[in-house]
Amino acid sequence: MTQDTDVYWMKKALELAHKAQEQGEVPVGAVLVSQGQAIATGYNQSISNHDPCGHAEIICLRAAGAAVNNYRLLDTTLYVTLEPCPMCASALVHARVSRVVFGAFDPKAGAGGSVFQLLADPCLNHQIEITSGVLEIECREQLQAFFKQRRAVKKQQKLDQAAKK
């Protein structure tokens, strides 16, 4: 893949992350690509679906499996705005995704090298090629802005509650 191709698909993932944010979800988006075509997309829906597994990657993998009628997603690349967590990394390995391209690093729970290395762990039966930091600044800033706004809302709610007492 070329850098231009990676940037193109990461921009699509960022659009999906924006859709998640509009719905009050943590802004993470994912696109699964095969032979230059998107075969599935996903964005975080844990909150709205009351689903701890409702991460962008999992939703994307489920849609891709249905689209190709197979749980093995060989010769595919997943573009995701945030480094996958251990749950998502394990699902990606199980699905035999070939490559993962992510934007922002997750220093608290990343499983693509930041905290854990599940995507390319030689102990597992499949290793995934990793490309990190594609549109990193845009991906990170989107997440940071979301959490900054969320903290401001919570702070205001506490102030409002204190004022009512």
Side-chain angles (χ1 to χ4, degrees):
M1 293 287 157
T2 67
Q3 185 176 1
D4 289 344
T5 301
D6 288 348
V7 167
Y8 173 83
W9 290 112
M10 188 60 71
K11 285 181 179 179
K12 297 295 183 190
L14 277 164
E15 290 172 12
L16 291 160
H18 181 70
K19 189 171 182 178
Q21 184 170 353
E22 287 176 338
Q23 296 179 14
E25 299 280 352
V26 176
V28 178
V31 179
L32 191 69
V33 175
S34 177
Q35 299 177 352
Q37 299 292 317
I39 59 170
T41 62
Y43 57 88
N44 273 6
Q45 296 178 46
S46 294
I47 298 167
S48 57
N49 289 344
H50 311 289
D51 180 4
C53 298
H55 291 196
E57 300 95 324
I58 300 297
I59 290 168
C60 189
L61 290 175
R62 287 176 177 158
V68 301
N69 204 29
N70 196 334
Y71 74 103
R72 296 288 193 223
L73 302 169
L74 305 173
D75 301 318
T76 58
T77 299
L78 180 84
Y79 293 87
V80 62
T81 57
L82 179 64
E83 179 180 4
C85 71
M87 173 186 70
C88 294
S90 295
L92 290 160
V93 169
H94 188 67
R96 304 296 193 271
V97 169
S98 301
R99 181 170 176 247
V100 169
V101 179
F102 68 84
F105 291 85
D106 185 348
K108 294 183 179 181
S114 290
V115 179
F116 307 101
Q117 182 47 284
L118 294 177
L119 293 176
D121 189 323
C123 295
L124 299 175
N125 60 348
H126 177 71
Q127 291 78 42
I128 298 174
E129 178 186 341
I130 303 165
T131 302
S132 58
V134 174
L135 298 182
E136 179 182 0
I137 293 169
E138 293 90 331
C139 294
R140 184 179 62 239
E141 286 177 350
Q142 184 178 39
L143 285 157
Q144 287 174 337
F146 172 81
F147 285 112
K148 182 178 180 180
Q149 190 237 353
R150 197 175 199 183
R151 285 189 299 273
V153 167
K154 287 189 179 209
K155 183 178 180 181
Q156 187 60 49
Q157 288 172 342
K158 284 183 181 180
L159 290 171
D160 292 348
Q161 287 176 348
K164 290 180 182 178
K165 290 182 181 180

